[in-house]
Each structure stands twice: as structure tokens, then as C-alpha cells.
Amino acid sequence: MSRGLVTTLVLAAGRGTRAGGPKALLAVNGEPLALVHARARLAAESERVILVVRASVAIVLRVRDARITVVTSDAP
């Protein structure tokens, strides 16, 4: 597979009931897990990432990479 042809869809809109809150916001080295995952996909094989999160998560995420698009979903 050629780099630059892949768009990754990261589904991170779960309820996080077992984690005590949205897993997308769990801190990994001071950064939200959803963004850590999105950046890992960009580094590995993707040209861009579509990150699906709950609206309450999207409000607090600070995405500064134009290759990451954040969309919201009410469905877990």
C-alpha cells in the first residue's frame, strides 16, 4: 500500500463507562488518547485521519494538525 492514499477513521465516541469517562480524553504523556492514536496513524500509513468523538469531547480537544478532521457523533 502506498503512503498518501490512506484515510483512517478513528472511532472514539464511546461512552467510556468502564473507564469512568470518555477514553478519548484519557491522558497519555499529557495528550488525549484520541489524538495520540490519530498521530500514530499519520506517522504509520495515513495521509489524513477522521476522528469521531462525542460533542463534549470535541469541545475540549485542541487539534492543530490540518490532516486531522474532528467530527461528532451521539451514537457510541
Side-chain angles (χ1 to χ4, degrees):
M1 187 177 317
S2 168
R3 182 174 168 87
L5 299 176
V6 176
T7 296
T8 299
L9 181 64
V10 175
L11 302 176
R15 290 186 184 108
T17 53
R18 290 177 291 169
K23 287 186 282 186
L25 294 178
L26 290 178
V28 176
N29 295 324
E31 185 173 40
L33 180 60
L35 290 180
V36 170
H37 187 68
R39 285 194 178 86
R41 301 287 35 96
L42 290 170
E45 78 280 333
S46 299
E47 177 181 354
R48 62 185 289 243
V49 172
I50 299 170
L51 182 57
V52 182
V53 297
R54 292 184 166 279
S56 60
V57 171
I59 291 169
V60 297
L61 282 181
R62 290 195 167 87
V63 179
R64 294 183 177 95
D65 190 326
R67 300 171 298 166
I68 301 172
T69 301
V70 177
V71 297
T72 61
S73 173
D74 292 330

